[in-house]
Every structure is written in structure tokens, then in C-alpha cells.
Amino acid sequence: DLVVHNLKNISGKDGELLQTRIASFQKFFNGNFEGESTPEDLVDLAKKHPGTRIICGHTGGNWEKGLRTISRQKNLYAESGGFDPTAGFSEMATRELGPERIIYGSDAPGRSFASQIAKIQGANIPEPWKKRIFKENLRGLLAPILLAKGFKP
């Protein structure tokens, strides 16, 4: 709540389209550190602010659980960077969220570009979906912001 409230204060306009990327993790061992958000936290935040589109960074770390957790919240998007290039991510993500709610993420410099690109490029999903994930989805999220600031997306 505090993050969204502060972003609205910075924007100067209530209801202005805001985007934020929040890294979230569901750690396998020893739990999360104080202040680290989880996909469940982002679902709660997204429900309170349905007009704000939020990108779940790293898809929650545990991507299978993260995808299932955010799937019903339509203003939450999954970002593909930040975990091992495990086979099946893109297939599950498109099945759970649809190709329009997945954003390519490189996780640079933490991971190689090749390993992160391979999650999408090597997936058994239609080529037009890959194009959406690599380019069109993020462009669609950023276009209104860029236009409002006088830039051509």
C-alpha cells in the first residue's frame, strides 16, 4: 500500500496509470527476510489497487507457485528473469496467465542472456506468443507512460 500510495503522490494525479516492478520471492529454505515481498503480498496489493498494473519480478522465485498464485489477479504480470532456465516455464506461464501477461526479463548481470532468452525462445509455444513476451507486452505497458511524457513508444 505504501509503495502505491507514494507512487501516486509522485505522479501528482490520482488514478494516473502507474507501473511498478516488485521483486518477490518465495524462498525454499529459511523463509523470506523481513520486508521481502511474496507473490501473495502482490496479490493483496493488486486487489487493493485494481487500476495499477504490477509486474511480479522473478515470478516469485518459485515460479510454479508464483504463477499459480498470481494467475487470477488480472493486473499482475509475470516477469521471466531470475531463476534457472528450467524447461516448462513458458508453457506453464502461458497456460496459467495467457501470453499477454508475461514479460521477458534478463536478470542481468545475475544470469546470462542466453539462458534467459532460451526460456522463451526454446519453449513449445506459438511464435507470435514469443514475440508478445519478448517485446509487445512490455511495450504495451510502457506506451501510455511514454506518451504522457511526450515520447513516441
Side-chain angles (χ1 to χ4, degrees):
D1 268 343
L2 185 59
V3 170
V4 173
H5 174 74
N6 287 338
L7 288 172
K8 284 184 179 178
N9 286 342
I10 291 168
S11 75
K13 295 179 184 175
D14 191 37
E16 181 178 276
L17 177 66
L18 299 170
Q19 311 294 336
T20 185
R21 178 190 177 274
I22 301 175
S24 65
F25 296 96
Q26 189 67 53
K27 295 198 174 155
F28 293 101
F29 305 105
N30 302 324
N32 287 26
F33 293 117
E34 185 178 335
E36 285 184 315
S37 60
T38 65
E40 291 85 354
D41 295 329
L42 296 188
V43 169
D44 291 343
L45 184 66
K47 284 179 179 177
K48 292 177 186 175
H49 302 280
T52 301
R53 295 181 284 181
I54 300 169
I55 300 171
C56 179
H58 305 296
T59 313
N62 177 347
W63 58 268
E64 290 173 291
K65 183 176 185 217
L67 289 170
R68 287 186 192 106
T69 301
I70 70 169
S71 65
R72 291 191 180 128
Q73 195 60 41
K74 302 301 181 194
N75 58 326
L76 273 172
Y77 295 73
E79 182 251 339
S80 68
F83 49 90
D84 292 332
T86 309
F89 165 76
S90 296
E91 292 85 351
M92 181 178 178
T94 55
R95 186 174 60 250
E96 294 288 325
L97 306 179
E100 64 280 351
R101 288 178 48 212
I102 306 160
I103 308 293
Y104 165 74
S106 70
D107 200 37
R111 307 261 179 194
S112 72
F113 285 107
S115 70
Q116 301 306 293
I117 290 169
K119 286 184 203 175
I120 311 302
Q121 193 59 41
N124 187 21
I125 60 174
E127 289 299 318
W129 292 7
K130 293 175 187 180
K131 185 177 178 184
R132 284 192 75 134
I133 294 166
F134 277 127
K135 177 182 175 185
E136 295 168 3
N137 292 339
L138 184 60
R139 187 178 206 174
L141 289 175
L142 295 178
I145 297 167
L146 294 172
L147 286 171
K149 295 186 179 290
F151 294 99
K152 183 179 177 185

